[in-house]
Amino acid sequence: MTRYAAFLRGVNLGKRQVKSADLLKAFTNMGFDNVKTLLASGNVLFDADSPDARQIEAALERAFSFAIGTVLRSQDQLKALIDLDPFDGRKEDENTKLYVTFVEDLNATSLPMPCAVTADFEVVKLTDGEVCIVTYRKADGRYGSGMDLIWKHYGKKRLWTSRNWNTVLKAAS
């Protein structure tokens, strides 16, 4: 069995609320082993032989009565991403945040590069399935709005979801 992370898109935003206990139950009912939720933002860790994201999505829609996009990564894939050091040793602080956008169809490299807005955000690494982004705090206290460019490029035609680098690190351990 392999350890996987399911990154669920759009969970716990607005009316799309899903309690961690309910997610745990849903994944357990799907037959997965060693199920654990990570934070309250749609991250589920589990053991399986070869999970199918579309089957998981169908089961989640039956359980919660709305569609929940699902991007899967094995723990080995997450560890390989970490080993790449995609942020070149950068650390988060009060003015800098690090994010990974997971692209379901493993076609992240279609994003035109360079992709950055000065003092706002910067794409620092592309892999086949991930976009690694640094966002910077702006004068108004908010962080970069570069995700708008990511949204414009990947839009609704592809399944993608973003996670803070610290969440990725936790999911890989």
Side-chain angles (χ1 to χ4, degrees):
M1 289 248 232
T2 301
R3 188 84 171 145
Y4 285 89
F7 298 111
L8 310 181
R9 179 164 167 74
V11 170
N12 294 337
L13 298 173
K15 294 182 180 184
R16 296 171 51 93
Q17 298 296 309
V18 178
K19 293 181 179 163
S20 291
D22 295 336
L23 268 179
L24 187 78
K25 182 179 177 185
F27 273 76
T28 300
N29 287 344
M30 285 182 241
F32 298 123
D33 294 324
N34 196 20
V35 179
K36 177 184 172 190
T37 58
L38 177 63
L39 306 172
S41 55
N43 310 295
V44 183
L45 306 175
F46 61 95
D47 295 339
D49 287 323
S50 55
D52 181 287
R54 302 300 77 81
Q55 290 177 354
I56 292 171
E57 289 171 346
L60 291 174
E61 186 166 4
R62 286 190 301 275
F64 301 109
S65 300
F66 58 87
I68 300 176
T70 303
V71 176
L72 297 176
R73 292 293 185 272
S74 71
Q75 225 170 24
D76 287 344
Q77 288 173 307
L78 296 176
K79 288 176 182 176
L81 177 64
I82 292 165
D83 288 345
L84 286 176
D85 189 20
F87 297 103
D88 260 349
R90 287 185 177 120
K91 303 289 184 204
E92 283 196 356
D93 60 32
E94 63 186 29
N95 295 310
T96 306
K97 298 294 178 200
L98 310 177
Y99 290 95
V100 176
T101 296
F102 294 96
V103 180
E104 183 264 345
D105 66 4
L106 299 179
N107 194 18
T109 56
S110 67
L111 184 69
M113 292 296 283
C115 185
V117 175
T118 303
D120 185 325
F121 91 106
E122 172 185 10
V123 173
V124 295
K125 182 78 170 176
L126 285 177
T127 70
D128 287 341
E130 293 85 27
V131 181
C132 300
I133 304 163
V134 178
T135 63
Y136 304 101
R137 187 184 299 266
K138 298 188 291 188
D140 65 5
R142 299 179 79 164
Y143 284 92
S145 56
M147 293 307 292
D148 294 343
L149 289 175
I150 302 298
W151 174 258
K152 188 180 281 187
H153 179 73
Y154 294 117
K156 293 183 179 181
K157 294 178 185 169
R158 293 188 183 141
L159 176 58
W160 58 277
T161 189
S162 297
R163 294 297 184 274
N164 181 278
W165 183 238
N166 291 324
T167 302
V168 176
L169 294 173
K170 289 175 187 171
S173 60

